């Protein structure tokens, strides 16, 4: 069935709201046709990843929209930039690229975006509610919105995100539709040791396994105690969206559309069920630990941006201790969380320990912030997935406590007991 447009859609497409909105609507309509959507739907908000500089075309696109008089129609938050805008001295890369990145941020502010500069918009005060349709870009934000908040967004990428924001419309397709939100693959972890099931450390590794073995379908995890906190769901989702192409997961008893396994599956038999073993998880962990030996150059946490709950774990681990002088210890977060760190006195504790808190960007996107190309440690499966190719570094994926202890000692220190059989 061909795409049906409302009178308001057609008015936008015909240029009745100006050439900028017309350009954006043309792109939204083309996407809808490619997805074989029957109609467009109204969105209540957007999160834009296009503000991250990927080359001259990204800036030219935003400048074109601005020159044509476009502006956002719905509340729109902005993803990370390519540099720390509060601490520009941290950027030691190409000055021209820094300037282009800064100009891009100005364009998106000019289009009406909120200068939030965070990849974790779900940590802001305002976030979409259950059932609300939004157009979010950035893979970890998309999977969190769908899975944890119960909001509805498809996997939007650069340029589409801002066009949806300008028009307030998105294709009625993908994860916006109920039938596409049903789980198809089951991951049963009930056979894992209880100590591992109760550890933060399980979730990034499990997410990496789920993403790598699911493809683009919706998975459901069962066997984990219900009521899991957001930081664990965030960690699993970010890892799964990086190692795979999924935009949503269910966890029985923890995510809003999976009170039971049967409801997550929509009453239909799954395509497959995987009994997850320690061997499976150790293979996933090994695939993200590319470093060998005990050498350590840097520790990079906060991908996606660290939350207050995560800082509440990190700060006591570092209190009264000192990072080894040969280790560059960086934590990325949003500027809203950064302000809260200042108010609570936690920023002083971190800085006294030798930690640099980075805002507005991510350390696997800003190579100048990694302090070199030596072996790095992280507690983020997403960082471990992207950093080797983006930065050329070797990585050891480990728990937060292991990252801290290694930073203090100046060498990689890990405890394998949690992952041992028997």
């Amino acid at each position: 069935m061909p795409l049906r447009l409302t009178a308001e859609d057609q008015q936008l497409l015909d240029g009745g709201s100006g050439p900028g909105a017309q350009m954006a609507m043309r792109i939204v309509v083309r996407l809808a046709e490619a997805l074989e959507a029957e109609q467009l739907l109204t969105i209540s908000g957007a999160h834009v990843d296009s503000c991250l500089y990927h080359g001259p075309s990204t800036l030219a696109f935003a400048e074109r929209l601005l020159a044509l008089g476009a502006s956002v129609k719905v509340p729109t938050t902005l993803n990370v930039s390519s540099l720390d805008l509060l601490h520009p001295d941290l950027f030691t890369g190409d000055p021209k690229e820094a300037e282009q990145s800064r100009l891009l941020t100005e364009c998106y502010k000019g289009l009406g975006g909120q200068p939030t500069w965070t990849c974790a918009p779900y940590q802001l005060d305002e976030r979409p509610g259950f059932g609300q349709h939004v157009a979010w870009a950035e893979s970890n934000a998309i999977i969190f919105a769908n899975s944890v908040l119960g909001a509805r967004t498809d996997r939007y990428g650069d340029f589409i995100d801002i066009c949806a924001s300008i028009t307030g419309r998105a294709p009625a397709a993908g994860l916006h539709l109920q039938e596409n939100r049903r789980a198809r693959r089951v991951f049963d972890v009930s056979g894992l040791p209880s100590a591992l099931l109760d550890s933060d450390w399980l979730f990034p590794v499990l997410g990496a396994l789920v993403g790598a073995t699911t493809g683009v379908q919706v998975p459901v995890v069962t066997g984990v105690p219900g009521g899991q906190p957001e930081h664990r769901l965030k960690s699993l989702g970010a890892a799964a969206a990086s190692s795979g192409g999924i935009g949503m997961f269910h966890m029985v008893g923890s995510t809003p559309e999976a009170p039971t396994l049967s409801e997550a599956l929509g009453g239909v038999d799954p395509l497959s069920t995987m009994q997850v073993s320690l061997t499976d998880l150790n293979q996933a962990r090994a695939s993200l630990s590319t470093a060998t030996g005990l050498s350590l150059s840097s520790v990079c946490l906060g991908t996606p941006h660290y939350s207050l709950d995560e800082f509440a774990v990190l700060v006591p681990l570092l209190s009264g201790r000192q990072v080894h002088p040969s280790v560059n210890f960086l934590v990325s977060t949003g500027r809203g969380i950064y302000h809260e760190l200042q108010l609570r006195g936690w920023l002083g504790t971190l800085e006294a320990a030798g930690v640099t808190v980075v805002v507005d960007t991510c350390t696997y996107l800003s190579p100048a912030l990694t302090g070199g190309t030596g072996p790095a440690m992280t507690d983020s499966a997403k960082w471990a997935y992207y950093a080797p190719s983006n930065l050329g570094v070797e990585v050891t994926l480990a728990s937060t406590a292991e990252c801290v202890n290694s930073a203090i000692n100046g060498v990689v220190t890990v405890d394998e007991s949690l992952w041992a059989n028997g």
Side-chain angles (χ1 to χ4, degrees), residues 384-404:
Y385 184 85
Y386 285 115
S389 57
N390 279 19
L391 306 177
V393 299
E394 297 179 327
V395 178
T396 296
L397 178 66
S399 70
T400 306
E402 288 167 339
C403 289
V404 169

Side-chain angles (χ1 to χ4, degrees), residues 252-331:
V252 175
S254 294
T255 57
E257 295 175 53
T260 66
L261 179 59
S262 177
E263 288 186 67
L265 292 165
V268 178
D269 290 338
L271 295 176
S272 66
T273 297
M274 180 177 184
Q275 297 289 335
V276 178
S277 67
L278 273 175
T279 300
D280 298 322
L281 291 176
N282 277 315
Q283 289 174 346
R285 192 164 64 106
S287 71
L288 294 172
S289 290
T290 55
T292 57
L294 302 179
S295 179
L296 181 64
S297 174
S298 60
V299 172
C300 295
L301 312 182
T303 304
H305 279 170
Y306 244 38
S307 66
L308 277 177
D309 287 342
E310 290 169 306
F311 276 112
V313 173
L314 178 66
V315 170
L317 291 172
L318 284 159
S319 181
R321 306 174 79 185
Q322 189 66 48
V323 172
H324 194 279
S326 67
V327 177
N328 191 13
F329 196 129
L330 306 173
V331 187

Side-chain angles (χ1 to χ4, degrees), residues 202-221:
L202 166 69
F203 293 83
V205 178
L206 179 60
L209 172 68
V210 169
T213 54
T214 298
V216 297
Q217 293 166 332
V218 177
V220 56
V221 177

Side-chain angles (χ1 to χ4, degrees), residues 14 58 60 75 93 99 123 147 152 161 176 182 184 192 212 217 220 224 238 242 304 314 337 344 372 393 410:
D14 292 340
T58 56
E99 177 60 13
Q123 293 175 5
S147 311
R152 297 188 172 204
D161 46 15
H176 287 289
R182 176 167 61 84
R184 306 298 299 278
L192 296 176
Q217 293 166 332
V220 56
V224 179
S242 300
L314 178 66
I337 301 294
R344 296 186 183 204
V393 299

Side-chain angles (χ1 to χ4, degrees), residues 62-151:
E63 289 177 331
R64 177 69 172 163
L65 285 172
L66 199 57
L68 292 177
S71 62
V72 302
K73 191 173 184 178
V74 296
T76 300
T77 50
L78 297 177
N79 202 51
V80 294
S81 168
S82 297
L83 64 161
D84 183 335
L85 296 161
L86 291 185
H87 313 102
D89 54 312
L90 290 175
F91 188 88
T92 58
D94 182 351
K96 181 179 179 182
E97 184 170 325
E99 177 60 13
Q100 297 289 293
S101 300
R102 192 191 62 75
L103 290 174
L104 186 62
T105 65
E106 293 300 319
C107 281
Y108 279 98
K109 286 196 294 183
L111 290 167
Q114 301 169 30
T116 47
W117 315 127
T118 180
C119 62
Y122 42 83
Q123 293 175 5
L124 300 171
D125 291 338
E126 299 291 334
R127 58 185 195 176
F130 186 86
Q132 280 190 291
H133 290 281
V134 295
W136 277 22
E138 158 56 37
S139 63
N140 100 84
I142 293 165
I143 197 169
F144 193 97
N146 281 314
S147 311
V148 184
L149 302 182

